Amino acid sequence: MIHGRLLQEGTLAPLTEASVQLLDAQGNDLNRIVVTNAAGTFAMRVEPGRYTLRIRRIGFNPLVTPLISLAANDVFEGTYRVSPAALRLATQRITARRDLEDGRDGFARRKDLGLGVFLDRSQLAARDQRDFASLMVNIDGIRIEGDRKITSTEGWRCLYFMVNRIPVSSLPNAPTGTSNFPTLEDLVPTGHDVMGIEVYRDFKEVPSEFRLEAWPGSTASQRAAPTTGFGTRRSAQSPCGLVSVWTRAAW
């Protein structure tokens, strides 16, 4: 899995709607393109091998990344800064400001709201790192099923998940690479790169900026419906709790 974040050089604002094209080690097009989201992040599943990425967006200089080498089950995380293209403008003033909130800053801001459970790196370092479910053991209001599914004991007893603001499914029983979309287990195979976790056990705890992800309605059709604590699946339109995970790439 290749998981990355694009920033605008100078302002460090997220580079949204940029195309990220997969190339082989010789620079040949492999016919794989994804587009960055509102947070400037993207994820792409690939076979083991050696790759580069070609990054393009109108108004910015094209960028080809250094070589990325991936063995089986590896997850690569990278942050790239893309410089604006030089434009000649007449009688026009352009100002830029930093409006990107790093993962750690949003984490601290939401923690001050007093809702949910927040685990920072110092707390996570003392926990079992073997997989993501192990990081969630003994959190009040969270239950780890025997098959490693993570559920809530509150509200509808269901959870949605995000990794660096990317909505993902949690499919702990699925073989790696079988899902059409990135999963929690793909992006966070162990807990070693996790810098912070926000746990909202019920929809009423979810902050307003995350509520669309905790009650996504029709936008959830591309990912699995949340699993309840009773082993049944709610509708994808159910309002649920949310677990937001931050790794080094966005921290």
Side-chain angles (χ1 to χ4, degrees):
M1 179 71 64
I2 297 175
H3 182 207
R5 187 186 197 198
L6 305 185
L7 305 178
Q8 299 180 29
E9 186 71 55
T11 67
L12 296 184
L15 187 63
T16 63
E17 298 182 353
S19 68
V20 181
Q21 184 177 16
L22 186 69
L23 309 176
D24 64 16
Q26 289 72 44
N28 299 311
D29 181 9
L30 296 179
N31 197 29
R32 291 282 304 283
I33 296 179
V34 296
V35 177
T36 56
N37 64 11
T41 58
F42 66 90
M44 183 184 297
R45 179 176 286 114
V46 299
E47 297 294 329
R50 290 155 54 87
Y51 303 96
T52 59
L53 303 174
R54 179 183 290 135
I55 297 165
R56 292 173 172 168
R57 193 187 190 287
I58 295 175
F60 291 82
N61 292 313
L63 173 68
V64 176
T65 68
L67 198 64
I68 300 169
S69 296
L70 291 169
N73 299 321
D74 278 355
V75 175
F76 173 84
E77 293 191 348
T79 299
Y80 302 103
R81 297 184 180 185
V82 185
S83 61
L87 299 175
R88 180 174 296 174
L89 301 175
T91 64
Q92 185 172 11
R93 173 176 293 182
I94 299 176
T95 59
R97 62 183 178 85
R98 176 180 175 139
D99 57 3
L100 171 68
E101 183 178 59
D102 288 329
R104 65 172 69 89
D105 297 330
F107 181 94
R109 175 176 55 79
R110 288 182 291 272
K111 184 178 181 180
D112 288 342
L113 298 176
L115 298 173
V117 176
F118 287 72
L119 301 174
D120 60 25
R121 185 60 207 170
S122 63
Q123 296 166 302
L124 294 169
R127 291 175 172 263
D128 189 342
Q129 307 281 306
R130 81 181 85 173
D131 59 16
F132 184 79
S134 297
L135 294 178
M136 303 288 287
V137 172
N138 295 327
I139 295 178
D140 184 37
I142 294 296
R143 179 180 177 185
I144 309 300
E145 307 285 351
D147 54 6
R148 309 303 286 168
K149 288 180 181 176
I150 305 167
T151 59
S152 174
T153 63
E154 302 183 16
W156 286 108
R157 295 174 169 81
C158 55
L159 293 170
Y160 286 112
F161 297 88
M162 293 194 305
V163 178
N164 299 341
R165 289 302 300 260
I166 296 177
V168 296
S169 297
S170 176
L171 301 172
N173 300 315
T176 301
T178 58
S179 171
N180 291 330
F181 299 91
T183 68
L184 175 67
E185 290 71 27
D186 287 330
L187 297 179
V188 192
T190 71
H192 295 289
D193 286 331
V194 178
M195 303 302 292
I197 301 176
E198 306 173 38
V199 183
Y200 305 105
R201 297 153 294 190
D202 187 10
F203 186 74
K204 65 185 179 184
E205 291 186 334
V206 178
S208 58
E209 63 196 281
F210 289 165
R211 289 208 158 190
L212 180 61
E213 305 303 336
W215 197 352
S218 61
T219 63
S221 60
Q222 294 181 335
R223 44 185 205 179
T227 303
T228 72
F230 300 115
T232 59
R233 288 196 178 275
R234 297 284 311 164
S235 162
Q237 285 75 37
S238 299
C240 298
L242 180 75
V243 177
S244 178
V245 186
W246 298 97
T247 68
R248 295 182 193 276
W251 192 248

